[in-house]
Amino acid sequence: MSGYPREVIALLLPGVYAPQDDTELLAEALREESPPPGARVLDVGTGSGALALEAARRGAEVTAVDVSRRAVWTARLNAWLRRLPVRIHRGNLFGPVGDRTYDVILANPPYVPAPDAGRGPRGRSRAWDAGRDGRLVLDRICRDAPALLRVGGVLLIVHSALSDPELTVEQLRAAGLKAAVVRRRWIAFGPVLRSREEWLRRSGRLGASDDREELVVIRAERVR
């Protein structure tokens, strides 16, 4: 669990995405946001539940969603073991929670560009594979999240610079939000990027000498 406190997560079922540098970067942005006790927080694609628990520890009213059954059970067990009240639903993005609005929405979606295999990602790869441009889920979040924010509410998204942060900002601004990149971090290639490094270079997404990946956090606020 590189870069993220181990004490937050008590267990991790097989096949569930482990908190890593992107989790920590988003957690830092959440801590800086400092939502007040009782604030409504939604964590979409919660995985192990690390970010949901981070928000719950600060007194937020937290709801979490994941499409993976194993992730849902992992998050539920971690919340139970930490004695933190988090509502955790299984579903696709905002499907289970579309009738509510939130003060903060957290998103660490799949964002790694993947060669087109003629079908969508399956199994464990659903946690990271996001189509040839890395935006299979990002575009849906940019489209659907703004309507779930209260006035003054904030969306925090973490993803790779390989997935076009400028387009994320552009789409969120087009939806009426005030959006900008607020955090950046360079990290070494992980196993997933190393496994497709040659394809990423051939497709022009990585330069010949690139040996690190840049992560970004985008903050988007509904101002009216």
Side-chain angles (χ1 to χ4, degrees):
M1 298 183 187
S2 171
Y4 200 77
R6 293 177 182 269
E7 66 269 15
V8 174
I9 296 302
L11 62 83
L12 194 71
L13 295 180
V16 178
Y17 184 78
Q20 298 184 47
D21 295 276
D22 50 4
T23 314
E24 172 58 20
L25 196 61
L26 193 54
E28 290 173 5
L30 173 64
R31 289 192 286 268
E32 187 172 292
E33 202 64 41
S34 191
R40 285 187 184 176
V41 175
L42 173 64
D43 180 22
V44 290
T46 193
S48 65
L51 290 163
L53 300 188
E54 187 79 33
R57 289 199 305 174
R58 285 162 170 72
E61 178 190 324
V62 184
T63 302
V65 178
D66 204 289
V67 72
S68 162
R69 286 187 178 88
R70 290 189 180 190
V72 167
W73 278 109
T74 297
R76 285 175 177 168
L77 287 167
N78 280 311
W80 179 75
L81 288 166
R82 297 304 183 205
R83 299 184 179 182
L84 290 169
V86 180
R87 298 184 185 92
I88 304 166
H89 305 281
R90 180 172 180 263
N92 196 338
L93 288 181
F94 305 110
V97 295
D99 58 343
R100 301 191 77 194
T101 55
Y102 298 89
D103 299 294
V104 179
I105 297 176
L106 305 169
N108 183 0
Y111 55 70
V112 181
D116 186 1
R119 57 178 174 80
R122 297 182 181 179
R124 294 185 62 194
S125 68
R126 289 185 300 178
W128 52 79
D129 280 354
R132 291 187 67 85
D133 59 2
R135 300 196 59 88
L136 185 67
V137 180
L138 278 166
D139 288 339
R140 293 171 59 196
I141 292 173
C142 292
R143 180 191 68 205
D144 297 338
L148 275 68
L149 287 174
R150 295 174 166 179
V151 175
V154 170
L155 168 66
L156 297 171
I157 309 177
V158 63
H159 67 80
S160 172
L162 296 172
S163 323
D164 199 347
E166 293 78 11
L167 180 56
T168 299
V169 170
E170 178 184 314
Q171 289 181 354
L172 292 170
R173 287 176 178 172
L177 305 185
K178 179 182 177 182
V181 174
V182 294
R183 285 184 176 270
R184 298 179 182 271
R185 180 171 298 166
W186 289 92
I187 64 170
F189 290 163
V192 175
L193 248 63
R194 287 198 301 270
S195 72
R196 63 194 59 170
E197 184 176 346
E198 184 179 342
W199 173 76
L200 288 166
R201 295 192 194 281
R202 286 200 315 268
S203 63
R205 291 170 175 82
L206 282 176
S209 61
D210 291 344
D211 60 0
R212 294 189 301 162
E213 177 188 16
E214 185 183 20
L215 300 177
V216 302
V217 172
I218 295 164
R219 180 186 189 273
E221 181 178 357
R222 183 179 177 186
V223 294
R224 56 184 173 84

